[in-house]
Amino acid sequence: MTTFIENTLGIIYNICFIGCFWPQIIKSIRTKSVEDVSIGLCFMSIIGYAAALGYAVLKFGFDYWLCLNYIFSAIFVIVMICVYYKYKK
């Protein structure tokens, strides 16, 4: 039962954490405007995700949920950065 709860919580936090940038990406693409986007936050997020991934691997070994979380979160931040530079005026 504990494994089921751990996996369920892992799935929930991954969906929420990875999905944090989706609304901004979708809004920016629809409106073709990135005036309300903080590009500094995006770059800091990538650095934070990379550091967290390194920390998690060194501290806990390869943990599927943590690695999945940080890798996919970083990918979506990179997508947001690409959208930002595409629509930046």
Side-chain angles (χ1 to χ4, degrees):
M1 184 66 167
T2 302
T3 303
F4 173 76
I5 294 170
E6 287 175 358
N7 287 336
T8 302
L9 292 173
I11 290 168
I12 291 169
Y13 96 71
N14 271 293
I15 290 170
C16 293
F17 207 76
I18 292 169
C20 287
F21 279 91
W22 292 353
Q24 188 66 56
I25 292 169
I26 292 167
K27 178 184 175 195
S28 297
I29 291 171
R30 281 186 182 159
T31 63
K32 294 182 176 39
S33 173
V34 291
E35 290 180 27
D36 57 346
V37 174
S38 171
I39 196 67
L41 172 69
C42 293
F43 285 115
M44 287 178 64
S45 294
I46 289 176
I47 293 167
Y49 294 141
L53 178 62
Y55 173 78
V57 169
L58 292 172
K59 181 79 173 177
F60 309 111
F62 181 80
D63 181 281
Y64 178 78
W65 292 116
L66 290 175
C67 293
L68 181 74
N69 183 357
Y70 299 133
I71 290 168
F72 277 105
S73 294
I75 288 170
F76 284 109
V77 173
I78 292 168
V79 169
M80 185 64 242
I81 291 171
C82 293
V83 169
Y84 177 84
Y85 283 110
K86 179 176 181 176
Y87 294 117
K88 181 180 171 192
K89 293 180 183 178

